[in-house]
Amino acid sequence: MSQFAGWLAQRYRNNRTLSEYEKAANVRQFNSSTFAPLDQGIIAIDDGCIEYVDRHFLYRGWAAMGGSVFVAMALVFILAILHATTFQALPGQPLESDVVYTIGGLIALVLAFAGFICWKLLGRDIFRYQYYPIRFDRDARQVHVFVGGRDKAISVPWQDVNFVIGRDKPMGAGEGFTYDLRGLVMRGDQVIHTFAVGSDSGPNPAISLAHWEMIRRFMEEGRSALPFPPLQLYTSLEPSFRNAFIIHVSSGGEGRIGIALPITLPWAFFRFLAMKLCRKPIWPKSIVHRGTPAGPALRAPLVYGRVNHAGGRADEMERFWKESINAAKARNEEVREQLERASASA
């Protein structure tokens, strides 16, 4: 599943030159101004800054769920071996040494497998950060990327980041590309860091371009250039089970929520667990936004998708999003063709 690229699979490669596709997919080469801007995971906005979650925020819990299943299977296998050995052993007689070595070797292999799963899956979902925000600082003309660890964050001049329509290889037959808005931090001609902004766009490259247009207008023209009805934020950062349930159970899609419940409900539980076992990211003091907004600042709601319905605001916003998303999807082939033409000429 290529939607996990950059997290559980197809890790982003750094310390390399740009690929021909990335050169062709640079969003600044497209006329994105003809797209209506789209919100793909905004968690804060005022006149000076706009902030997004990372691409994998909505998938959190999946690695913990998958890893727990494998670890549980390993433990059951070990218990089954020990039970079978105890049952077959003759009373009062020790096991033969070759049997002991065989059983010990099997248990060691299974424990090594469980440890590997913990490292590759559980370790990617727990005891880390709840999310890795990306902040676009219009006042300082910089992009701040939270990376955790000793560095905490990196800051790059706005014009020095190569933003591209990211594309991940399908991981199985019948699976298409997954697109996102990806930032490539450069040092000379070398990519030294890669990050994805907000949620992925699924199979829709035009959605990524509309997502870019939201950021471009904000950074180059200001918040007043965003053509929304009274903007409302949907993405919640609160690590509650209610939010986990809303995010994952609703991911089954309209008409399939009940069918998908055996997967989405455990996923919601493991998301809640993972979020509770992770730390909240805190920006370094050096890049804390201190500007005084002229207009009202918006922050992530406590409940995912909870918006103000007064005066028909929610209906107006919902209608705007649906129309904008459908208009972008209608241009998928146009964007794909431009990507292919640019790649071929490169």
Side-chain angles (χ1 to χ4, degrees), residues 205-226:
I207 294 289
S208 291
L209 205 53
H211 175 24
W212 157 253
E213 179 59 16
M214 174 86 175
I215 298 167
R216 187 201 67 79
R217 287 197 198 186
F218 176 83
M219 290 295 286
E220 296 183 0
E221 303 173 33
R223 181 179 176 183
S224 61
L226 301 178

Side-chain angles (χ1 to χ4, degrees), residues 140-170:
R141 309 301 296 165
Q142 286 193 318
V143 181
H144 307 296
V145 184
F146 189 89
V147 295
R150 181 180 301 176
D151 296 331
K152 293 295 184 183
I154 60 174
S155 299
V156 188
W158 159 248
Q159 290 295 341
D160 290 351
V161 182
N162 273 347
F163 287 101
V164 302
I165 300 175
R167 184 178 73 178
D168 299 311
K169 296 178 181 179

Side-chain angles (χ1 to χ4, degrees), residues 230 232 308-317 319:
Q232 302 190 69
N308 184 0
H309 289 265
R313 293 180 65 191
D315 294 339
E316 190 177 359
M317 199 71 220
R319 183 166 55 252

Side-chain angles (χ1 to χ4, degrees), residues 105-186:
L106 280 173
I107 291 176
L109 284 174
V110 173
L111 288 176
F113 170 76
F116 176 77
I117 292 298
C118 287
W119 173 53
K120 296 296 287 184
L121 291 178
L122 291 175
R124 302 278 174 82
D125 225 357
I126 61 176
F127 306 128
R128 297 174 73 86
Y129 289 94
Q130 294 172 349
Y131 58 101
Y132 292 78
I134 300 96
R135 176 179 292 178
F136 295 87
D137 189 336
R138 188 169 189 270
D139 293 334
R141 309 301 296 165
Q142 286 193 318
V143 181
H144 307 296
V145 184
F146 189 89
V147 295
R150 181 180 301 176
D151 296 331
K152 293 295 184 183
I154 60 174
S155 299
V156 188
W158 159 248
Q159 290 295 341
D160 290 351
V161 182
N162 273 347
F163 287 101
V164 302
I165 300 175
R167 184 178 73 178
D168 299 311
K169 296 178 181 179
M171 295 185 66
E175 184 180 353
F177 290 109
T178 298
Y179 296 90
D180 60 26
L181 177 62
R182 202 167 298 179
L184 308 175
V185 180
M186 308 296 294

